[in-house]
Amino acid sequence: MLSPKKTTLAFALSAATALLVAACGGNTNDGSPGSSTSPTSPPTSTPTTDPTQNSAISLHGIVYGSADTSVPDGAGIPITMMGQMRALFDLIRKSPDFTQVVMDLGDGSPVHVLDTNTGDKFLPGKLALGLSWILIDMKTKGDPAYADYLATYQKITTAMMTQMNGTDYTYANTSWGEYYYLVALNNFNAHGMLHEVFSDSMLATLQTRLTFCDMFGADASGKTNTCPAAGTPIDVASLNTAQNYYAVSYGIAGLRQKLGWSNPTFSSSTDASVATMGARDALLYTLTKHIRNDSTGGFSDEASNTHTTYYDQARYDRYSTLLIGEVTERTLEMGNEANLTPELKSYLRKSVDLILAQLNTNGQGFNYGRSIGPYGDTAFMEVLTAAANAGVLTQQEMQVAYSYIYKAAYRYSNFWYDPTLPTPSVNMWVKGRGTDSYRGKPRVMGENFSLLHQFMYVNAWWDKLGFNGKAPLSDADMQTYLNTKPHYTLTWYNQPTDTAHPYSAALITVRDGKRVINFNLSQAPDYNSYTPYYPVPSSDQLAYGTTDLAYALLIPQVTYNSKTYIPVTYYKNLNVQENNGEVVVTFDTTKFRQAAKNALYTTDIDLQVHTTVTFSHGTITRSDTMTSGAATGSPLAGNLSVETDFSSFADFQNTTAGGDGFSVNYTNSAATNYATTGFDNCALSQFDTVNGATNPLSTTPIGQLHSNFVCKTNSFALTGGASRTFTWTLKYADPA
């Protein structure tokens, strides 16, 4: 991993001992950024930097760069983020027909990224917002090419909002797309450009179309729902998508209100108080109740909208932590600070604490769950920025947060962004990387815009907070702070005393020197068959799940009557202890689920497993003792087999099986050795290709897995009271 040269901060802590003070929450921020110009919009002038700082080595240096947005000397990046956005604008502007714009990622299948069937239902909003940063910057600087770029912008936005027959439009633009578009409109308005960029007729079209109505109603198929007749309220409980979309609709309602546009009203059959609120406040009220009721830990349960019983709920992942950060940011950008209650700030602080335990000097974010990759990194960034603005960080934490965000921006520019592709772009799809189907390659243009916007608005906030041109903490000072964090952190999503959610749901984070290891226990009914939700360690370049796919990664996967079952939910009796420097995690899994997305609970089988995972320096050991509640003589008492796999990032050519047949040695790799007991046979194989083609199982968000070590049993019986134990031990080297 590339790392910027270490720089001593003029604003850094005055003595190294100050870094050893444990971080804690507190409202030490000197007010929140509030002005007529939203801090999420581009600045109105070239910033003045502190001459004692090297402004190239700063968040602003990576995002904006020099006055002409070129890369400043010493920044260590191939192109600024504004430069990336300008290049995308030029790609569109130079095409005779923007619907035929092609992005080529070098894999032999270029994508028409602006046609009408990319599958990106947010695309018009992403373009309107992303390209608005360029227009505002050009207008502010008096760029003579501004009129030409403005004409291109107007041509694209008009075409994408063209109504066809009935209520159908040339391009879909739902939920997030509507929110993105409204951010662009408010930013233009803050810079006095709204009526210069959009005609009155276009604004009338946008006022009609940019609503939250498509997220409510009986139709959950994705077809856009029209708003009810004026005066007819929407049932606030009729949200037809995931719970986090309450935050999207909240953002839409608030930004419409900021423009002076009216909103549909809400009603509720269970809470009459909703009817007395405007749409903005009713949505925030409902969202707060969701977090309060569906997680005793203060996190968002992302599965609770589609499942009705306690064992169906509890998907906790990146978004469970990020949601409160987005709510806070929306609240600030719409000027609704008065409703940022102590309760909401307490939820935000819990997300901060979960993130601080995972921070690192490389800018890496979430390594488990769905839709991570660069979004795993930016999720940390967004929560920490919201917390800085809401006043829930100490001054020390502010500097640590800014330093992480700088590193995330540097990592994006040098790892996620690939200038060597035929069309330079963020890369989540090629060269051994893979992402979930939700962010499929046809959405590549929109993903560039939305990621770049995240960095740009975050940079605008930190500029306003006084960090414009400031260098981050040095790696050494950052690591000194990180070394004060506990050896392990247990974060409960649902406390075991919660009778409404009787199964354990929690995150255990273990810090082993510079290595961060997460162990996430989440029921995830809609995703628990996929490896990123397995109850296994996740750590950079050591152990990583593959999106939207399943295999026996580090779990005892059972085959019974030609069907596959996995221990990925029904966790009970979670306990975490530290003894003599070892972190010991124990829990029980009370049933095995069929390994299929949204598998019916009637297909569970009566197997139980007691699991012990021990984390010591450079070593993780897991022991699974399996028993069956089935009576002697039942079919389940026999006909069982178990498989456990470990797939490695190490080159296959440098991987060798041990002479005992049950271990593997790795070189030039984070992993150094993997060994098992309790199995009948093991086999080492190349994992990155199958019949000459890329193996989909090998493409993780951060890169390709190259070898797989498969350990299996022959068929065996588990009569009542009998048990069988399986273990694996993974050894790894300290990160550089």
Side-chain angles (χ1 to χ4, degrees):
M1 184 63 61
L2 295 172
S3 62
K5 72 176 185 179
K6 297 175 181 177
T7 306
T8 302
L9 283 176
F11 76 96
L13 303 177
S14 59
T17 54
L19 280 166
L20 300 177
V21 178
C24 61
N27 191 348
T28 60
N29 200 9
D30 296 327
S32 60
S35 68
S36 58
T37 301
S38 169
T40 60
S41 64
T44 56
S45 61
T46 302
T48 301
T49 58
D50 182 345
T52 66
Q53 302 294 325
N54 180 354
S55 60
I57 305 175
S58 67
L59 178 61
H60 194 97
I62 291 175
V63 174
Y64 264 89
S66 303
D68 62 353
T69 70
S70 63
V71 177
D73 291 340
I77 57 174
I79 186 174
T80 63
M81 293 182 177
M82 282 294 286
Q84 292 178 46
M85 193 75 86
R86 180 71 171 258
L88 292 171
F89 205 149
D90 286 340
L91 182 67
I92 299 169
R93 187 174 60 88
K94 292 174 182 179
S95 174
D97 179 355
F98 78 86
T99 67
Q100 299 304 305
V101 168
V102 171
M103 293 186 71
D104 183 358
L105 302 187
D107 61 345
S109 56
V111 179
H112 284 81
V113 289
L114 296 182
D115 67 16
T116 60
N117 58 1
T118 63
D120 191 343
K121 296 180 180 180
F122 318 143
L123 187 59
K126 288 180 178 180
L127 255 71
L129 177 55
L131 300 183
S132 72
W133 287 92
I134 300 299
L135 282 187
I136 292 171
D137 186 60
M138 295 177 75
K139 176 76 172 182
T140 300
K141 295 174 179 175
D143 192 315
Y146 168 73
D148 184 24
Y149 281 76
L150 174 61
T152 299
Y153 186 91
Q154 291 171 327
K155 173 179 142 182
I156 297 168
T157 53
T158 299
M160 285 190 162
M161 286 291 154
T162 300
Q163 190 169 1
M164 303 298 285
N165 39 31
T167 58
D168 294 330
Y169 290 83
T170 308
Y171 286 80
N173 189 57
T174 65
S175 58
W176 276 104
E178 295 159 325
Y179 163 74
Y180 289 139
Y181 219 122
L182 284 161
V183 174
L185 296 181
N186 275 275
N187 286 349
F188 279 132
N189 198 38
H191 288 82
M193 298 170 60
L194 182 62
H195 294 281
E196 176 181 329
V197 175
F198 296 100
S199 66
D200 289 345
S201 62
M202 183 64 170
L203 287 173
T205 296
L206 294 172
Q207 184 173 356
T208 299
R209 190 169 177 193
L210 303 179
T211 72
F212 44 72
C213 296
D214 58 284
M215 288 175 276
F216 292 87
D219 183 5
S221 67
K223 179 177 173 58
T224 299
N225 292 294
T226 57
C227 289
T232 303
I234 300 171
D235 181 0
V236 76
S238 65
L239 188 74
N240 59 32
T241 183
Q243 295 289 283
N244 66 65
Y245 280 76
Y246 274 119
V248 183
S249 53
Y250 168 59
I252 292 170
L255 290 175
R256 284 179 62 89
Q257 186 171 321
K258 191 173 181 180
L259 286 172
W261 294 356
S262 62
N263 282 307
T265 59
F266 283 99
S267 66
S268 172
S269 59
T270 59
D271 194 337
S273 59
V274 169
T276 66
M277 304 176 185
R280 181 193 72 180
D281 296 343
L283 288 163
L284 181 60
Y285 174 80
T286 303
L287 182 58
T288 303
K289 285 178 61 178
H290 160 61
I291 299 175
R292 183 191 304 141
N293 296 337
D294 286 354
S295 168
T296 56
F299 298 91
S300 174
D301 176 358
E302 291 303 287
S304 65
N305 65 311
T306 56
H307 302 268
T308 57
T309 54
Y310 61 79
Y311 51 82
D312 277 330
Q313 297 178 13
R315 168 157 56 93
Y316 296 102
D317 53 21
R318 171 186 70 98
Y319 226 103
S320 303
T321 303
L322 172 60
L323 180 61
I324 186 60
E326 290 187 343
V327 170
T328 302
E329 194 272 327
R330 306 289 179 269
T331 300
L332 295 171
E333 75 182 357
M334 68 177 68
N336 191 27
E337 292 90 339
N339 281 336
L340 193 58
T341 63
E343 179 184 7
L344 289 172
K345 288 185 179 182
S346 74
Y347 297 150
L348 180 60
R349 182 65 216 189
K350 288 182 177 181
S351 286
V352 167
D353 290 339
L354 180 146
I355 286 171
L356 288 179
Q358 301 179 56
L359 285 192
N360 53 79
T361 61
N362 293 322
Q364 298 163 18
F366 284 102
N367 53 24
Y368 58 90
R370 63 180 290 271
S371 288
I372 49 173
Y375 287 95
D377 302 348
T378 62
F380 279 17
M381 176 180 78
E382 290 188 275
V383 171
L384 293 173
T385 300
N389 283 306
V392 300
L393 297 183
T394 66
Q395 289 298 323
Q396 181 188 24
E397 290 169 340
M398 291 274 285
Q399 295 179 31
V400 168
Y402 172 77
S403 298
Y404 167 81
I405 293 167
Y406 164 81
K407 287 301 185 73
Y410 189 87
R411 173 174 161 85
Y412 183 86
S413 298
N414 286 295
F415 181 77
W416 293 115
Y417 176 76
D418 190 345
T420 70
L421 296 174
T423 306
S425 168
V426 65
N427 175 20
M428 294 187 279
W429 306 275
V430 299
K431 297 184 179 181
R433 298 180 190 173
T435 190
D436 54 339
S437 58
Y438 175 74
R439 300 192 190 279
K441 196 179 71 170
R443 289 179 49 164
V444 56
M445 176 70 86
E447 299 307 320
N448 275 274
F449 282 133
S450 57
L451 283 161
L452 289 171
H453 164 69
Q454 287 183 13
F455 283 102
M456 289 174 179
Y457 94 74
V458 163
N459 172 70
W461 278 112
W462 285 96
D463 280 357
K464 195 167 182 66
L465 287 166
F467 286 76
N468 187 344
K470 297 293 187 180
L473 293 169
S474 68
D475 284 356
D477 284 347
M478 182 73 163
Q479 190 61 48
T480 299
Y481 167 80
L482 295 175
N483 290 343
T484 69
K485 306 309 290 179
H487 188 191
Y488 82 89
T489 303
L490 172 60
T491 303
W492 285 104
Y493 303 127
N494 279 322
Q495 293 285 357
T497 55
D498 181 5
T499 56
H501 306 90
Y503 294 104
S504 298
L507 173 69
I508 300 99
T509 299
V510 178
R511 302 192 67 91
D512 183 11
K514 293 182 179 180
R515 179 163 296 283
V516 177
I517 306 167
N518 284 313
F519 195 91
N520 195 47
L521 293 176
S522 173
Q523 312 303 322
D526 41 358
Y527 285 93
N528 60 16
S529 62
Y530 298 155
T531 53
Y533 288 90
Y534 286 3
V536 299
S538 298
S539 188
D540 184 56
Q541 295 299 319
L542 180 65
Y544 233 85
T546 304
T547 58
D548 288 358
L549 292 170
Y551 66 105
L553 177 64
L554 294 174
I555 60 170
Q557 175 178 285
V558 168
T559 299
Y560 166 63
N561 281 352
S562 301
K563 294 181 179 178
T564 302
Y565 299 87
I566 48 181
V568 293
T569 189
Y570 299 122
Y571 308 123
K572 287 272 198 176
N573 306 319
L574 173 64
N575 183 268
V576 186
Q577 300 289 332
E578 183 168 4
N579 300 306
N580 298 320
E582 291 186 335
V583 177
V584 181
V585 178
T586 60
F587 61 95
D588 297 311
T589 305
T590 58
K591 293 181 182 179
F592 275 49
R593 301 221 57 215
Q594 191 168 350
K597 183 176 172 64
N598 289 322
L600 297 175
Y601 287 85
T602 54
T603 64
D604 296 338
I605 58 173
D606 193 13
L607 280 177
Q608 298 81 44
V609 63
H610 177 74
T611 301
T612 300
V613 184
T614 303
F615 299 88
S616 55
H617 179 57
T619 303
I620 307 170
T621 299
R622 175 169 173 148
S623 171
D624 291 295
T625 298
M626 190 178 301
T627 58
S628 171
T632 301
S634 71
L636 189 57
N639 192 30
L640 296 175
S641 61
V642 175
E643 175 183 340
T644 296
D645 296 12
F646 174 62
S647 47
S648 171
F649 291 98
D651 291 339
F652 181 68
Q653 291 75 13
N654 295 320
T655 302
T656 56
D660 59 5
F662 296 94
S663 63
V664 180
N665 294 311
Y666 306 97
T667 57
N668 302 320
S669 164
T672 58
N673 179 268
Y674 174 76
T676 69
T677 67
F679 296 92
D680 295 319
N681 55 79
C682 297
L684 175 66
S685 62
Q686 187 165 351
F687 196 58
D688 44 22
T689 60
V690 176
N691 297 324
T694 298
N695 177 7
L697 288 172
S698 72
T699 56
T700 78
I702 61 170
Q704 193 159 29
L705 300 163
H706 297 291
S707 69
N708 194 30
F709 193 59
V710 180
C711 293
K712 297 182 178 181
T713 68
N714 302 321
S715 293
F716 65 95
L718 271 184
T719 56
S723 65
R724 183 157 176 176
T725 298
F726 308 92
T727 72
W728 56 254
T729 298
L730 174 62
K731 295 183 180 296
Y732 54 88
D734 293 335

